[in-house]
Amino acid sequence: MSFQRVLVIGYVWPEPTSSAAGGHMMQLLQCFTTQGWHVTFASPARVGEHKADLAALGIAERAIELNDDSFDRFVAELQPDMVLFDRFMMEEQFGWRVEQHCPQAVRVLETCDLQSLRDARQGLLKQRLHASDDENDFSALFAEAPDTLYAHMSDADITQREVAAIFRCDLSLMISPFETQLLTERFGVPASLLHDCPLMVEPPATAALTFEQRAHFVCIGNFRHAPNWDAVLWLKQQVWPRIRKQLPRAQLHVHGAYTPPKATALHNPAQGFLVKGWAVDALQVVGQARVALAPLRFGAGIKGKLLDAMLCGTPSVTTPTGAEGMRTGERWPGRIGHSADELAQAAVELYENADQWQAAHEQCHEHLGAQYATEPHAQALILRLQQLSQSLAQHRRANFTGSMLRHHLHKSTKYFSQWIQSKNQSV
């Protein structure tokens, strides 16, 4: 079977210049359109200020409503061969409607990252901060084993919702090998329901700037993303003062989409801490910096800011959480630290030592070609989808847990959604 019509239901409209999630969605859309498939992107979200021009790529756009049977008429008329849900919330909201009107459509979940893992780590960080006034060393937090993570995740509502959506779909796209392993080994998700699909990029056409041509540090990330805001706060309060003590003339340029007043309030030229807001061209900004800083104390998935650093040949300093899904093994293109002291010292050494910087710079390009090249990952994804469509009945028969969850949860979701619709219409 060859897909002719593909429907993507987005949690938000894609903004590739604002987040890694938006970039990954655009990469998936590119994979589909390259095959000649007719793609429709639908979303109940408001249009953001940095939304991609999908129409220019030949992708149809459709605004849809939550808890409204207008979607039923839309999807019944479209009759897609495949539906991709952007994050589990969209599968919860629209999955039963898709199954009711397009039962033979392949249902795919774009996880982006495991939000339940990110939430669990945020909770662990809050516990750690509540239990200790030490905001320097977080070695114990970064060393949490999968069994410990599972213990914190398993009872949470968001985990049960997210894992249930993974079981209900025919295939879920995973960007982090660690998360795939966590799902299969701790949550019992069959490997047949998961597909490894990281960010897919091509190296820049222009040569990267040299050590001598670069200056200052950079930190970049969407401020609406909680791990990014926490990282900026830790930078401001703990990491950056340690760097400035050794490099009193250095500057840190902080960029991010949707910069809130609480972030701009951190701007302090006297301290070299410059909050510059959204970067029109993230690669240009990161490519001019000598070192990228990403002191993430919690999070999940692949970090787009660290992949951008690799694309620019910019060595980066991050934590084990930041490096976790990045597929580099022990050869990190920069340094990894467990404390504010370690991060600051690593940043200073990379900034001042041309030999260390050059070695990390070269590793950036090695990892790009080996782990993130577009063509092999795009081909593998298309092949997996085509194979799935050819054996869909058998695939679903083997996934009894998914069938059972669809039977029960979709009915409850269906009736709750219909109740909301009826309530809205009576007002």
Side-chain angles (χ1 to χ4, degrees):
M1 171 184 173
S2 176
F3 298 113
Q4 298 298 321
R5 294 173 299 277
V6 174
L7 171 63
V8 178
I9 303 178
Y11 179 67
V12 295
W13 294 94
E15 296 188 3
T17 60
S18 298
S19 69
H24 196 227
M25 176 54 69
M26 294 302 297
Q27 293 158 12
L28 295 175
L29 294 175
Q30 182 73 32
C31 285
F32 300 156
T33 56
T34 300
Q35 298 299 310
W37 301 346
H38 299 286
V39 180
T40 299
F41 192 99
S43 178
R46 294 181 180 179
V47 175
E49 57 186 281
H50 307 305
K51 171 185 168 295
D53 187 357
L54 300 180
L57 302 175
I59 298 172
E61 300 180 13
R62 177 69 177 256
I64 53 178
E65 298 290 334
L66 300 172
N67 305 306
D68 194 294
D69 60 11
S70 60
F71 179 85
D72 297 352
R73 296 188 290 274
F74 159 65
V75 77
E77 180 179 350
L78 184 64
Q79 283 297 307
D81 303 303
M82 180 178 76
V83 178
L84 184 141
F85 303 100
D86 175 25
R87 283 163 270 199
F88 75 90
M89 297 82 78
M90 293 298 95
E91 189 278 337
E92 284 182 331
Q93 177 67 218
F94 296 103
W96 66 271
R97 296 182 185 273
V98 169
E99 183 170 15
Q100 180 174 330
H101 297 285
C102 313
Q104 296 307 309
V106 174
R107 297 184 291 269
V108 180
L109 177 64
E110 158 65 339
T111 61
C112 293
D113 56 32
L114 282 184
Q115 296 181 56
S116 51
L117 173 61
R118 187 172 69 238
D119 278 21
R121 284 184 166 145
Q122 186 173 14
L124 288 167
L125 173 61
K126 290 179 179 178
Q127 290 180 17
R128 158 68 176 76
L129 293 174
H130 180 74
S132 173
D133 293 332
D134 175 22
E135 288 208 46
N136 172 39
D137 192 350
F138 290 86
S139 300
L141 180 71
F142 297 134
E144 295 286 5
D147 284 339
T148 304
L149 292 173
Y150 174 79
H152 283 272
M153 293 173 64
S154 57
D155 291 334
D157 176 74
I158 189 173
T159 306
Q160 296 183 14
R161 291 170 56 197
E162 187 169 35
V163 175
I166 290 171
F167 270 104
R168 287 193 298 266
C169 287
D170 298 313
L171 193 67
S172 289
L173 306 184
M174 307 299 300
I175 62 175
S176 166
F178 176 84
E179 294 170 17
T180 298
Q181 185 176 6
L182 187 67
L183 286 175
T184 55
E185 295 184 0
R186 298 305 189 280
F187 290 93
V189 177
S192 60
L193 298 182
L194 307 175
H195 179 75
D196 182 53
C197 185
L199 298 179
M200 297 174 279
V201 297
E202 296 295 342
T206 57
L209 298 181
T210 65
F211 175 86
E212 292 78 11
Q213 292 172 321
R214 298 172 183 242
H216 307 307
F217 296 85
V218 68
C219 176
I220 192 166
N222 190 323
F223 280 103
R224 288 181 175 175
H225 194 51
N228 293 339
W229 172 238
D230 177 76
V232 169
L233 285 178
W234 197 31
L235 262 175
K236 173 71 173 180
Q237 297 164 0
Q238 300 292 331
V239 181
W240 185 243
R242 288 167 163 83
I243 295 175
R244 278 279 286 192
K245 186 176 181 179
Q246 299 186 62
L247 300 173
R249 300 180 63 182
Q251 295 179 3
L252 171 61
H253 297 180
V254 181
H255 291 268
Y258 301 103
T259 310
K262 64 181 180 181
T264 56
L266 301 179
H267 182 79
N268 191 322
Q271 297 174 353
F273 197 95
L274 309 179
V275 180
K276 299 204 165 190
W278 179 60
V280 177
D281 187 339
L283 295 182
Q284 181 183 32
V285 167
V286 177
Q288 292 174 343
R290 188 174 289 178
V291 177
L293 303 178
L296 295 160
R297 293 191 289 190
F298 71 96
I302 288 177
K303 317 308 183 294
K305 60 184 71 60
L306 293 173
L307 184 58
D308 284 347
M310 291 186 202
L311 281 166
C312 299
T314 304
S316 56
V317 176
T318 189
T319 63
T321 296
E324 177 184 84
M326 301 301 296
R327 304 160 185 264
T328 61
E330 297 180 357
R331 290 175 54 79
W332 183 255
R335 299 277 287 278
I336 296 173
H338 299 74
S339 66
D341 284 337
E342 288 184 7
L343 292 166
Q345 188 59 37
V348 170
E349 290 175 4
L350 276 172
Y351 195 84
E352 292 191 307
N353 190 309
D355 291 337
Q356 288 188 24
W357 188 94
Q358 185 63 31
H361 171 79
E362 293 172 0
Q363 285 180 345
C364 290
H365 299 289
E366 293 175 14
H367 292 312
L368 284 176
Q371 302 295 341
Y372 296 102
T374 298
E375 186 174 355
H377 288 298
Q379 289 180 349
L381 174 60
I382 297 303
L383 178 61
R384 182 72 183 273
L385 292 172
Q386 290 174 337
Q387 291 174 339
L388 179 59
S389 69
Q390 295 167 2
S391 58
L392 189 58
Q394 180 181 356
H395 179 81
R396 288 178 175 173
R397 194 176 302 118
N399 181 20
F400 178 79
T401 300
S403 298
M404 179 176 59
L405 288 170
R406 288 199 307 274
H407 174 79
H408 289 286
L409 189 129
H410 279 177
K411 277 185 166 45
S412 63
T413 304
K414 172 182 177 180
Y415 297 138
F416 183 59
S417 181
Q418 290 176 336
W419 177 81
I420 293 176
Q421 179 178 340
S422 177
K423 184 173 181 292
N424 290 340
Q425 290 173 344
S426 65
V427 173

